[in-house]
Every structure is written in C-alpha cells, then in structure tokens.
Amino acid sequence: IINLKYKKLLVKSIILSLAAKPRLFKQSFLVALDLCIFPLLIWLCYALRQFDLTAQAVPNLSFGPVFVSIIATAALFTTGVYRFIVRTFNEAFFARLAFATALTVIALYALAYTTTAFIPMSIPLMFGFTMFAWVWFSRGLIRFLVRAYTHTDIPRKRVAIYGAGYAGQQVAATLQRSDEHLAVFFIDDNP
C-alpha cells in the first residue's frame, strides 16, 4: 500500500514538474516524442500491409523511417500543430492536424515517385491515418493526465449562464476549462 502511494506521488510530481516547464520545453518534448514514434508507425503500416512482423519499413531507401519521421514532424511544425496548448483541444487543432496529415501523405507519394524507395500506394494513406490517430490520442492522453493530477480538490462554484446563444456558449466553453466555476445550466429570455 505504501509502495502504491509512493508511486502515485512520484507520478504526480513528475507530471506537475513537466507541466510547470516553459512552453518551449513542452513543445520540444512533443517534437522529440513524435520523432521517436513515427518510425514505429511507418513500420507498423508495412507490417500490417504484408502481414509480416519482420517487414522492413521503406525498403530501398537508406534511413527511410527517419525520413518519414522528419517529413511528418516537419508537416506538423509547418501547420502549427506544435503551437497548440494541450488544454485547448478545439476545431482549429483538428483542422491543422488534418492539413498536416494531408501534407505528409502527399509528401510520401512524392517520395515514392522521386526515389527508389518501395512505398506501395496504400502505405501513405495508412501512415496518414495512424499519424492522425497518434497525435490526437497522445495529446488527449497528456491532457487527461495533466488535468487529473493538477485538478484541485476544492469544489467548484456552480453557476447558471444567462443567454443560450453564441455568447453563452462561449462563456460555457471558458468555464469548462476553469477550476473555480462549473456551468450547470442556461437561462434565456427567448422561449
């Protein structure tokens, strides 16, 4: 029991210390994480396509998985995905992530036609799907962990929002990220 409590405190202290780091450190961490995961994702695409766990990723191209990883990370960087704060998961983030994924798929098709690399037609699409899923899942998991360990035990004040229109929805979205207030319901003068 003591060991479990110690582990929880250790995890909480690590998460809190990482959350307190400067923004540039957190962005660099995400870039490094993606650079390490993308070669595994491209290998997974080849392994699934060939039904072979010993499949080579991006054959006929030296350091092919590294190139794919750099291409994908550059697309995410270019579209501004790394500038998003993890706590602001919104439509703009998904749109930029989708655009970065499309750029990566196009770049992989271009790589297939301009080099001797063996990249079947299905691989760029498979990689695009896994890339999108990885970035979305990893940021969601990070967001969940940070919110779970930084959430205070102080109960939030329950509030009602007057106005159910666009302005009221904006207030509700803002309050949803608040640790002090909890929007319970809307009140509006328009039946």
Side-chain angles (χ1 to χ4, degrees):
I1 297 173
I2 294 173
N3 194 15
L4 181 63
K5 287 182 181 181
Y6 176 73
K7 287 179 182 178
K8 284 184 179 181
L9 286 174
L10 179 64
V11 169
K12 184 175 183 175
S13 67
I14 290 170
I15 290 173
L16 290 176
S17 68
L18 288 175
K21 296 282 185 198
R23 184 180 181 113
L24 183 62
F25 175 85
K26 292 183 250 187
Q27 289 171 332
S28 301
F29 173 77
L30 291 175
V31 169
L33 182 66
D34 290 343
L35 281 171
C36 292
I37 294 296
F38 288 149
L40 294 173
L41 293 181
I42 192 69
W43 167 80
L44 180 65
C45 293
Y46 277 89
L48 287 173
R49 184 182 185 278
Q50 298 173 4
F51 296 107
D52 182 11
L53 292 177
T54 62
Q56 182 183 359
V58 197
N60 302 336
L61 182 65
S62 299
F63 303 105
V66 175
F67 282 126
V68 171
S69 183
I70 291 170
I71 289 168
T73 306
L76 291 171
F77 189 80
T78 303
T79 57
V81 170
Y82 291 118
R83 288 194 301 262
F84 275 85
I85 301 172
V86 173
R87 69 175 175 263
T88 57
F89 241 26
N90 58 19
E91 296 82 13
F93 172 78
F94 289 115
R96 289 181 187 220
L97 178 56
F99 186 55
T101 302
L103 286 177
T104 303
V105 169
I106 291 168
L108 289 179
Y109 281 125
L111 188 68
Y113 287 113
T114 59
T115 66
T116 59
F118 174 67
I119 303 176
M121 295 295 285
S122 61
I123 292 294
L125 293 175
M126 291 172 68
F127 181 75
F129 175 76
T130 57
M131 173 187 161
F132 186 94
W134 159 254
V135 173
W136 179 72
F137 175 76
S138 64
R139 282 21 173 216
L141 180 64
I142 291 169
R143 179 181 184 205
F144 172 77
L145 291 173
V146 169
R147 292 188 97 196
Y149 284 103
T150 60
H151 184 72
T152 61
D153 294 330
I154 301 169
R156 298 192 299 176
K157 187 175 184 178
R158 298 165 58 90
V159 296
I161 299 172
Y162 181 76
Y166 181 73
Q169 292 173 9
Q170 292 292 348
V171 170
T174 302
L175 289 177
Q176 189 175 10
R177 292 187 295 268
S178 169
D179 290 334
E180 299 173 18
H181 298 91
L182 174 65
V184 180
F185 58 87
F186 291 93
I187 301 171
D188 200 289
D189 56 358
N190 184 350

